[in-house]
Amino acid sequence: MDALTDLYETAYLNDIIIINKKMVDFLALSIMDEDGDCFVALNSYNLKTQREEVTVLAHDLGHCMTGAFYNRYSKLDNINQKEYRANKWAVHKLIPFEELQEAFSNGIIERWELAEYFEVTEDFIDTVIQVYQNEGLLAG
């Protein structure tokens, strides 16, 4: 199963509604309503590639799966914590550490090669490295 299909299945199995919504300032936006239902608005009109869609969707599903929500009045440190939790979930979902190690063992070490191999954006590879460094699994 490819990553995008897996993400949509994850959303379905966890009762997370994904809608396509044209937005000016966002590629995606996740919210939880007062009943605890989670929704992701995905701006597929502005997503240029499937890799970008995978990366953006995984991040916003990460907000839903971890309950990492904040509002515009939240303090910056709180926002950063919630964003990190969403990113960490996305990293573990898309690129488990064992699969990253396997890629390294096969000589896939350049940022662009890793992005191509895992079908994510190069920026997401930076996030992957940061998360696994923070967990002590990769040297800094």
Side-chain angles (χ1 to χ4, degrees), residues 3 6 20 32 46 56 88 92 100 103 109 132:
D6 184 45
N20 193 22
M32 183 177 286
N46 289 347
V56 167
K88 184 176 174 179
H92 287 274
L100 182 63
I109 57 171
Y132 288 132

Side-chain angles (χ1 to χ4, degrees), residues 45-86:
Y45 302 101
N46 289 347
L47 294 169
K48 298 172 187 76
T49 65
Q50 183 169 324
R51 289 180 191 186
E52 192 173 37
E53 184 176 357
V54 165
T55 303
V56 167
L57 181 56
H59 172 81
D60 274 272
L61 285 177
H63 282 290
C64 293
M65 297 299 291
T66 64
F69 293 98
Y70 55 89
N71 64 46
R72 64 181 172 196
Y73 305 110
S74 298
K75 293 182 180 180
L76 185 58
D77 60 341
N78 187 340
I79 293 170
N80 289 338
Q81 289 173 351
K82 305 296 183 177
E83 289 296 326
Y84 184 81
R85 282 176 50 197

Side-chain angles (χ1 to χ4, degrees), residues 6-125:
D6 184 45
L7 291 171
Y8 278 99
E9 184 174 308
T10 297
Y12 174 78
L13 293 173
N14 289 280
D15 297 320
I16 299 168
I17 306 299
I18 299 173
I19 59 169
N20 193 22
K21 176 75 175 145
K22 199 175 236 183
M23 298 176 280
V24 175
D25 295 328
F26 302 101
L27 292 176
L29 181 67
S30 52
I31 60 168
M32 183 177 286
D33 69 13
E34 61 276 354
D35 296 325
D37 295 325
C38 194
F39 302 85
V40 174
L42 192 61
N43 188 357
S44 61
Y45 302 101
N46 289 347
L47 294 169
K48 298 172 187 76
T49 65
Q50 183 169 324
R51 289 180 191 186
E52 192 173 37
E53 184 176 357
V54 165
T55 303
V56 167
L57 181 56
H59 172 81
D60 274 272
L61 285 177
H63 282 290
C64 293
M65 297 299 291
T66 64
F69 293 98
Y70 55 89
N71 64 46
R72 64 181 172 196
Y73 305 110
S74 298
K75 293 182 180 180
L76 185 58
D77 60 341
N78 187 340
I79 293 170
N80 289 338
Q81 289 173 351
K82 305 296 183 177
E83 289 296 326
Y84 184 81
R85 282 176 50 197
N87 279 334
K88 184 176 174 179
W89 183 90
V91 165
H92 287 274
K93 177 70 173 171
L94 295 177
I95 307 177
F97 185 68
E98 298 75 25
E99 291 182 24
L100 182 63
Q101 282 183 305
E102 184 177 321
F104 289 157
S105 296
N106 290 326
I108 302 168
I109 57 171
E110 296 294 332
R111 182 177 181 249
W112 67 270
E113 290 176 308
L114 290 163
E116 197 171 278
Y117 180 78
F118 289 108
E119 299 180 350
V120 296
T121 64
E122 288 185 36
D123 287 342
F124 188 72
I125 293 299

